[in-house]
Amino acid sequence: GEASAMHPYVNLDDVDLVGWEPGSGFADPYLTCTSFAQAAKEHGAVFFGNCEVTGLLKEGGRIRGVETSTHGVLEAGVTVSCLNIWTKKTLGGWLAQIGANHINLPVSIEKHLLVALRVPGQPYMHPNACSWSDLPASQVAGGGMLPNVKDLIQDSKPYFRAYDGGSSILIGDNHP
């Protein structure tokens, strides 16, 4: 009853258990990255585009900066790796070069097969979004987008969620 009311497009006839995590969600990778970059710039960070990092600088058991292809040595109190799926391969090699290969990098690569479907209007908005007014705003992503759905029983863990502000539905799976 309750789950069907929250997501009227999901058939729950053969479902015994539904989990609801009102505080969870997802982050758009591009918007997340650019938002972090903008906030960092506002606090004095400097970014160099098209500048390959060729190595890490170590001193006293700490990373103190990076060596680059175009700007030479850049020293920093904090060095942040934003390598994404290349982190383990690239950073792992650098850590080995400076004798810190004992550091475990808990990063794994997953391939998600994705399909985005767009139909006129905003199909992934709750048809009765205004009836959610009794929920805190933090529990209604995007002011009325339907909740993310993930099937944890299937091996591929298929999921679907709002995409592009609710004008599209993103369907994916964690196919091994």
Side-chain angles (χ1 to χ4, degrees):
E2 237 181 296
S4 294
M6 293 175 71
H7 207 308
Y9 304 136
V10 177
N11 180 345
L12 301 172
D13 292 345
D14 62 346
V15 174
D16 293 326
L17 182 64
V18 172
W20 165 243
E21 296 179 28
S24 66
F26 64 93
D28 176 280
Y30 175 78
L31 292 176
T32 301
C33 183
T34 55
S35 296
F36 279 141
Q38 183 60 39
K41 286 178 186 177
E42 290 171 6
H43 288 88
V46 179
F47 290 82
F48 299 100
N50 300 313
C51 177
E52 180 184 356
V53 172
T54 58
L56 301 176
L57 305 173
K58 179 185 169 190
E59 184 176 290
R62 293 179 40 101
I63 304 298
R64 64 173 180 87
V66 295
E67 296 174 8
T68 70
S69 60
T70 57
H71 289 81
V73 171
L74 299 173
E75 300 211 15
V78 175
T79 303
V80 179
S81 170
C82 301
L83 296 168
N84 197 346
I85 64 170
W86 300 277
T87 298
K88 195 166 197 167
K89 179 180 177 186
T90 305
L91 189 57
W94 288 339
L95 291 173
Q97 287 176 4
I98 63 169
N101 52 338
H102 62 281
I103 296 174
N104 181 33
L105 298 173
V107 178
S108 61
I109 297 172
E110 286 186 357
K111 181 177 183 178
H112 290 224
L113 304 174
L114 300 172
V115 173
L117 303 174
R118 180 178 294 203
V119 289
Q122 292 198 319
Y124 213 70
M125 300 299 283
H126 195 284
N128 302 315
C130 59
S131 70
W132 286 28
S133 58
D134 57 329
L135 291 176
S138 64
Q139 294 184 15
V140 185
M145 280 192 266
L146 292 168
N148 301 342
V149 174
K150 185 163 189 167
D151 182 343
L152 298 175
I153 302 300
Q154 303 293 323
D155 288 339
S156 64
K157 309 285 189 268
Y159 59 90
F160 59 97
R161 64 171 172 83
Y163 179 69
D164 199 17
S167 64
S168 301
I169 299 171
L170 185 71
I171 304 166
D173 73 15
N174 302 56
H175 190 42

